[in-house]
Every structure is written in structure tokens, then in C-alpha cells.
Amino acid sequence: MLSFEELVTLQATLLAKMMMVNSALHRRYTELLASPDRVPSNEEARDVLARAAKHIDELNRIMRDELAFILSEKHHGADNDED
């Protein structure tokens, strides 16, 4: 069984890795949208890509906030342990 500290560290690590994956996907979606020759001229296909890019960007923003919270709580907990 993992300790509380190990679980928090694992959570932060997984969030950070997921943010990296989402950033790579977002970059690819934006590159596709910027290259009209690589995306079908179908307006619906472009809309799907644009919505996916926006969704991933919003998701990353939420995860970034959550990661900052986890790390600040972890740091705050470490400060309390020293008292």
C-alpha cells in the first residue's frame, strides 16, 4: 500500500505527464488547422479539430491549476512537518 506522500507524488507526476501529452496534442491540432493542405476543406472537420484543440487547452488549464494546488499543499504540509 502506498503512503499518503507517495500517492500525492504519483498524482502530481501523472498530472504533469498528462499535461505534456495534452500540450503535444494541442500543438498538433493547431499545426493541422494552420495547414489548410493537411486538413480536409470540409468545414465540419475543421470545426471538430478546433473544438478538440480548445477542449484540450481548457483541460490543461484545469490540470495546471490542480497541479499548482497539489504542489502548494504538499509544500505547505512539508512546512508543517518541520514545526
Side-chain angles (χ1 to χ4, degrees), residues 5-83:
E5 181 68 26
E6 290 169 325
L7 286 170
V8 170
T9 300
L10 181 59
Q11 180 187 37
T13 302
L14 291 173
L15 270 172
K17 288 184 180 196
M18 188 64 182
M19 287 172 59
M20 289 173 44
V21 168
N22 282 350
S23 292
L25 279 172
H26 183 267
R27 187 172 38 258
R28 296 232 178 127
Y29 284 145
T30 358
E31 287 170 359
L32 279 173
L33 286 168
S35 304
D37 57 321
R38 294 176 61 195
V39 177
S41 59
N42 178 340
E43 194 61 33
E44 186 177 341
R46 294 187 69 73
D47 285 346
V48 168
L49 281 174
R51 282 195 312 267
K54 182 179 178 189
H55 177 75
I56 286 176
D57 189 46
E58 290 170 1
L59 184 58
N60 252 14
R61 204 170 301 130
I62 292 167
M63 287 192 294
R64 186 173 37 248
D65 291 346
E66 185 63 20
L67 183 57
F69 175 76
I70 290 166
L71 294 176
S72 71
E73 287 298 307
K74 188 175 177 181
H75 179 71
H76 180 69
D79 287 347
N80 287 340
D81 289 344
E82 292 173 3
D83 293 341

